[in-house]
Amino acid sequence: MQNAIWRPMTETDLPAVDRIAGQIHAALPEHVDIFAERLRLYPDGCCVLAIDDVTVGYILSHPWHFGQPPALNSLLGRIPGDADTYYIHDLALLPEARRTGAGSAIAGCLAAHAAQRGLPSLSLIAVYDAAPFWTRLGFNAHDDPALAGKLEGYGGEARMMVRRTS
């Protein structure tokens, strides 16, 4: 990860996050208000990746209820006090940030963070062809027919995935 650093996201990063989201997730658009709310509700789970001071990626994550992923482009309102998983809402890396180890590094940090909070798992919805990446990081597919309708909103290849923290 030469010259690449994950740092806490700030409000001033939101235009760059929105730009990256537009490039990476053109088929799954979300309004910048979604990113702003995640940052406001759980700043500890929001980071940006910079290479030579240029923002090339971001991650949005927060405690949540297992098996109940938020719908895309929807506000949360609050972080539940009885959360039982650490939910990775989005990891987006521009092509120049891929294969640098940045995704693996932040996933490891989030796993440690979740464990410190006493959350037994990390969960996410893998979109596009990202499931093999998450599998390499210790995530397994969680097939639940009750989630089929919600996963449709994430695209045809969407898979719920989970990783134990202990």
Side-chain angles (χ1 to χ4, degrees):
M1 258 184 22
Q2 187 176 11
N3 299 323
I5 185 167
W6 284 103
R7 65 168 177 75
M9 185 185 295
T10 68
E11 286 187 23
T12 60
D13 293 312
L14 291 174
V17 168
D18 190 42
R19 176 183 49 82
I20 293 167
Q23 290 176 338
I24 302 299
H25 298 305
L28 301 170
E30 291 192 288
H31 194 274
V32 70
D33 291 347
I34 303 305
F35 312 137
E37 185 202 43
R38 299 302 195 275
L39 176 60
R40 181 178 53 77
L41 292 177
Y42 201 77
D44 288 346
C46 300
C47 296
V48 294
L49 178 67
I51 297 178
D52 297 326
D53 295 323
V54 176
T55 302
V56 294
Y58 67 86
I59 193 156
L60 303 167
S61 60
H62 52 82
W64 200 246
H65 293 294
F66 183 77
Q68 300 176 28
L72 278 178
N73 204 31
S74 65
L75 296 171
L76 301 178
R78 65 178 186 84
I79 300 297
D82 60 346
D84 58 359
T85 193
Y86 192 81
Y87 185 72
I88 300 174
H89 175 81
D90 192 8
L91 170 61
L93 301 173
L94 291 175
E96 59 267 32
R98 296 177 190 160
R99 301 192 191 287
T100 64
S104 298
I106 197 65
C109 291
L110 295 179
H113 179 77
Q116 288 174 341
R117 290 193 48 94
L119 295 169
S121 66
L122 292 97
S123 58
L124 58 88
I125 304 297
V127 296
Y128 310 125
D129 60 353
F133 167 78
W134 292 110
T135 299
R136 286 192 302 276
L137 297 180
F139 286 79
N140 296 302
H142 176 77
D143 295 320
D144 181 351
L147 290 174
K150 186 164 272 194
L151 290 179
E152 285 178 12
Y154 285 84
E157 298 176 15
R159 304 283 312 260
M160 178 151 189
M161 301 189 78
V162 62
R163 173 182 166 179
R164 306 303 302 168
T165 57
S166 57

